[in-house]
Amino acid sequence: MTLAAGIGYALLALGPSLSLFVSVISKKPFLILTVLSSTLLWLSSLIVLSGVWRGFLPLKSTSRWPYGLLIFTSIAFQEGLRVLFWKVYKRLEDLLDDFADRVSKPRLYQTDKMEIALAGGLGHGVAHAVFFCLSLLTPAFGPATFFVDRCSQLPFFLVSAIIALAFVTIHTFSMVIAFNGYAEGNKVDQVFVPVVHLVAGMVGVASSVYLSFISLQA
Amino acid sequence: MAQNTKPTSILDSLGEEIIRIIAPVSICMFMVVILVSVLDSSSSSSTSASVTSIATIAYSETNSDSSWDKFVGALLNSLVFVAVVTAVTFILVLLFYLRCTKFLKLYMGFSAFVVLGFMGGEIALFLIEDFSIPVDCITFVVALFNFAVVGVLAVFMSKMAILVTQAYLVVIGMLVAYWFTQLPEWTTWLLLVAMALYDLAAVLLPVGPLRLLVELAISRDEDIPALVYEARPVTHNDSGAVGRVAQRRVWRGRSGENSDHGSNNNPNANSVFVENVDSGSNSTSNASVVPDSSTESNTLVSGHNDATLVRAEEGWVPERDAELSAPLIDPRMNIQPQQSELEGIGLGSSGAIKLGLGDFIFYSVLVGRAAMYDFMTVYACYLAIIAGLGITLALLALYQKALPALPVSIALGVLFYVLTRFLLEVFVVECSLNLLMF
């Protein structure tokens, strides 16, 4: 709606991650590099998904099943990528430990490992927020606002910013939980993360089914 | 606090050099994106009245041409541009070979003045016009003149605070990059690709001008007179394997130290080569062109030279260490392993990573051009360029010689731009508008 509103929406989506970045990540250069590479990885995953689904878009069907399938496949792909990320991280951890031995410094502490996982998760969250919310915010800096049919009570930018905030939180801490789960072989943690991701994604589909159901009744 | 008794982990300092290069590159790109989005949104329809410059001398793009015509025209433009840049670089190599360093440095200072004064002035005028800033002519001229003169001194002489020099280099890169983004679209993209290929050839081929320049500079133990951004080096007290001593990178051209550097009679020449060719006095928007022929600085030089140079430098290191480590480096590394005692002071003082200003400029041009489409492409291209820069730095650490910094980043940047524009955007917009996010 104005410059202030645009900045407000951007901060709504990315405020906590910005403060996390400034307080934790910016102190250690390696973590900044981890955030950047993690963001790049998830951007690539989004590009691959869009490449796969491009032929089917725009989905014009009135039923919601195609959307459900889209979300399900995307989440499944991203969770698979998380496992791959974990494997790469294990190799990196070995390299770092070797390097630490060479320069006669202590090996990676537990907090270091969790910080790297946090940085990886933050990269994932930032990738989501940037591409699903920030990049669509350009009209919000102008004089008007925009409403979508799906949720006509709130401006679209506000809705996407709030959802992006939620997803940033989910992604950031999922990575920590997942890495912890993979490291200790804790099955509960390992399953918890994809389930949460799936539920969060599917809620979007389910709410649209609900709304269409409501509108059918009325 | 327990923190003080626990030895510091490697995670505290690893990767710091890379961040010191990525930060100014990011700042430059960010400023160009801001400039492009602020100045472009106001002058929406004047894109057809484009810049007449050496880069559009073969063909001026209009909106009515077909795609194939635009492509061919842009190809001709970029070939002409690369040819001019090659010729100028060879002239530069010749002048360097004939030891006309004074002339080169003077030209460098003059070019910096023109960039800062005239280009910076024009952009400042656009901004004043857009935001209706109340400032009168005389104040403006005085302020601009002072700004330009300080900038010339910062890049010309080496006795400035390094932060000022770095800031002015970033500003010069930003100004030149903004002018490049005013070129027509197809021309810009093909120009980027052509420059990346030229960079690859010029640095790696044995007959390439940039390689000749680097070899001449190494053999003579002089600095290349070019605009080169040098990241502040990271001083470790204890890092580095044993082998690092002989391979310790030469610490060149640090501001303030050159006065005691007797052997180097080229006082941190950070010269810029901006070719100003008046290509048509009737062009209203921009008469002077800037094919940035500081392409010799498109190399990423690790500063590593052979052992003879290292020995010549060794005696100076202690003062430098003391000078640099006191104000800057957080003395967290308190561990002194045996190695450092054996090899004496100055172990592991790594040289700085140098990135030519031409690289800054072309990265920012790519991102600025992406900003003219949409912000999604900006983010994607930014990540791609940083990834390319990281890969180039890794290769630099591997091969330990001057490498072209443009090809990988530009390739990734163009690839991600195309993928984002044609694939990702549709997907994301579709999902977002239906509030389906994952």
Side-chain angles (χ1 to χ4, degrees):
Chain A
M1 276 185 287
T2 47
L3 184 65
I7 296 181
Y9 293 133
L11 281 178
L12 189 60
L14 280 179
S17 45
L18 187 67
S19 49
L20 202 61
F21 184 84
V22 167
S23 59
V24 176
I25 309 271
S26 65
K27 303 243 171 7
K28 307 196 177 183
F30 187 76
L31 294 179
I32 303 179
L33 293 174
T34 310
V35 170
L36 286 173
S37 19
S38 174
T39 313
L40 182 72
L41 174 73
W42 297 105
L43 165 66
S44 317
S45 81
L46 283 178
I47 290 182
V48 166
L49 284 170
S50 64
V52 165
W53 276 96
R54 176 73 176 92
F56 303 98
L57 293 171
L59 293 170
K60 283 207 172 38
S61 65
T62 47
S63 81
R64 292 298 166 180
W65 290 116
Y67 289 112
L69 189 62
L70 189 148
I71 297 291
F72 184 76
T73 51
S74 309
I75 294 182
F77 180 70
Q78 286 205 329
E79 291 304 321
L81 209 56
R82 194 193 298 275
V83 178
L84 189 69
F85 194 45
W86 161 254
K87 295 214 162 59
V88 170
Y89 165 72
K90 278 308 280 178
R91 274 231 293 248
L92 180 73
E93 200 181 302
D94 291 336
L95 280 174
L96 286 177
D97 279 337
D98 286 341
F99 177 71
D101 287 338
R102 263 215 322 271
V103 297
S104 48
K105 283 225 167 167
R107 298 187 143 213
L108 287 177
Y109 296 114
Q110 184 62 16
T111 49
D112 289 338
K113 296 180 192 176
M114 287 176 76
E115 275 177 353
I116 298 180
L118 185 71
L122 191 67
H124 189 181
V126 165
H128 174 96
V130 160
F131 287 100
F132 278 95
C133 172
L134 273 196
S135 50
L136 304 171
L137 267 188
T138 320
F141 289 93
T145 187
F146 183 66
F147 294 87
V148 280
D149 294 334
R150 293 282 307 279
C151 180
S152 47
Q153 286 90 0
L154 296 174
F156 165 67
F157 306 115
L158 185 61
V159 175
S160 74
I162 295 177
I163 296 182
L165 174 64
F167 269 105
V168 163
T169 317
I170 291 179
H171 289 321
T172 308
F173 297 109
S174 292
M175 196 66 84
V176 181
I177 298 174
F179 275 22
N180 222 9
Y182 292 135
E184 296 174 4
N186 188 350
K187 286 290 177 201
V188 171
D189 279 349
Q190 287 178 18
V191 167
F192 177 75
V193 166
V195 163
V196 164
H197 196 184
L198 200 60
V199 164
M202 284 307 196
V203 162
V205 182
S207 72
S208 71
V209 171
Y210 177 70
L211 280 175
S212 58
F213 182 67
I214 293 286
S215 60
L216 271 178
Q217 294 282 3
Chain B
M1 287 195 287
Q3 198 72 358
N4 287 337
T5 57
K6 194 164 74 163
T8 55
S9 133
I10 49 167
L11 216 60
D12 284 342
S13 61
L14 198 61
E16 193 160 357
E17 286 182 5
I18 303 180
I19 293 295
R20 284 195 176 151
I21 272 287
I22 289 183
V25 172
S26 307
I27 291 174
C28 188
M29 288 199 257
F30 177 68
M31 304 284 291
V32 171
V33 166
I34 298 267
L35 265 184
V36 163
S37 43
V38 162
L39 289 179
D40 247 20
S41 56
S42 36
S43 69
S44 49
S45 61
S46 62
T47 45
S48 50
S50 60
V51 175
T52 306
S53 63
I54 198 152
T56 54
I57 203 170
Y59 162 75
S60 283
E61 186 173 318
T62 60
N63 288 333
S64 55
D65 291 345
S66 71
S67 285
W68 179 250
D69 281 344
K70 284 190 199 175
F71 178 72
V72 170
L75 198 62
L76 287 174
N77 274 341
S78 30
L79 285 177
V80 166
F81 189 81
V82 169
V84 168
V85 164
T86 317
V88 170
T89 315
F90 270 114
I91 294 177
L92 169 66
V93 173
L94 186 68
L95 286 176
F96 189 65
Y97 180 69
L98 297 175
R99 297 181 191 270
C100 306
T101 39
K102 207 136 194 307
F103 172 75
L104 290 176
K105 277 158 46 56
L106 276 175
Y107 186 63
M108 187 182 83
F110 168 72
S111 311
F113 185 76
V114 166
V115 167
L116 286 172
F118 289 100
M119 290 189 193
E122 274 198 71
I123 291 179
L125 282 175
F126 287 153
L127 287 172
I128 290 176
E129 211 179 312
D130 277 349
F131 292 112
S132 307
I133 304 175
V135 63
D136 61 294
C137 299
I138 299 179
T139 313
F140 178 72
V141 166
V142 169
L144 185 67
F145 181 71
N146 277 315
F147 177 72
V149 165
V150 174
V152 169
L153 290 178
V155 302
F156 190 58
M157 294 177 8
S158 53
K159 296 196 186 359
M160 284 263 187
I162 197 168
L163 203 60
V164 173
T165 310
Q166 288 175 340
Y168 265 105
L169 286 172
V170 169
V171 165
I172 290 176
M174 175 184 96
L175 294 174
V176 177
Y178 178 75
W179 281 110
F180 266 110
T181 59
Q182 300 303 302
L183 295 174
E185 184 171 8
W186 284 81
T187 308
T188 317
W189 288 110
L190 281 173
L191 188 72
L192 283 170
V193 172
M195 284 306 295
L197 291 172
Y198 163 76
D199 200 23
L200 195 63
V203 175
L204 293 181
L205 287 182
V207 75
L210 296 180
R211 181 162 168 163
L212 294 175
L213 196 63
V214 168
E215 281 172 4
L216 265 179
I218 289 178
S219 67
R220 283 196 209 164
D221 188 15
E222 280 177 12
D223 273 334
I224 302 173
L227 265 190
V228 169
Y229 182 96
E230 209 163 339
R232 214 195 263 279
V234 178
T235 313
H236 301 286
N237 289 341
D238 54 359
S239 78
V242 180
R244 280 282 288 266
V245 175
Q247 288 209 355
R248 186 189 44 180
R249 300 189 211 157
V250 172
W251 189 344
R252 285 304 196 61
R254 194 72 15 175
S255 62
E257 270 95 354
N258 267 327
S259 45
D260 16 61
H261 203 312
S263 60
N264 186 10
N265 45 3
N266 208 359
N268 189 23
N270 276 332
S271 42
V272 67
F273 276 88
V274 169
E275 176 84 339
N276 285 323
V277 174
D278 273 348
S279 64
S281 47
N282 43 2
S283 141
T284 50
S285 40
N286 182 20
S288 71
V289 74
V290 199
D292 188 333
S293 46
S294 64
T295 50
E296 73 282 350
S297 47
N298 271 348
T299 61
L300 199 55
V301 178
S302 75
H304 161 76
N305 296 316
D306 43 6
T308 50
L309 297 169
V310 170
R311 266 177 264 137
E313 304 278 335
E314 249 173 39
W316 299 106
V317 171
E319 290 108 64
R320 290 181 181 169
D321 252 0
E323 245 177 310
L324 195 66
S325 56
L328 269 195
I329 308 294
D330 183 2
R332 274 182 294 187
M333 324 254 179
N334 295 320
I335 305 174
Q336 300 280 350
Q338 271 71 351
Q339 289 162 345
S340 70
E341 255 116 319
L342 281 176
E343 269 105 359
I345 321 167
L347 167 67
S349 77
S350 55
I353 297 180
K354 298 184 195 178
L355 187 62
L357 208 64
D359 297 327
F360 275 76
I361 291 170
F362 286 112
Y363 293 163
S364 306
V365 169
L366 197 151
V367 172
R369 203 16 105 163
M372 287 180 170
Y373 181 68
D374 190 31
F375 276 118
M376 197 182 295
T377 43
V378 169
Y379 301 127
C381 290
Y382 169 75
L383 287 170
I385 290 179
I386 297 291
L389 188 60
I391 293 176
T392 313
L393 287 172
L395 287 176
L396 184 70
L398 199 61
Y399 286 112
Q400 290 285 336
K401 59 180 223 172
L403 287 180
L406 275 187
V408 181
S409 286
I410 300 283
L412 281 178
V414 172
L415 177 71
F416 270 66
Y417 176 80
V418 168
L419 287 177
T420 304
R421 179 166 171 171
F422 294 113
L423 292 181
L424 186 65
E425 192 179 8
V426 177
F427 179 72
V428 166
V429 168
E430 173 85 15
C431 283
S432 286
L433 288 181
N434 286 300
L435 297 183
L436 293 168
M437 310 201 191
F438 57 90

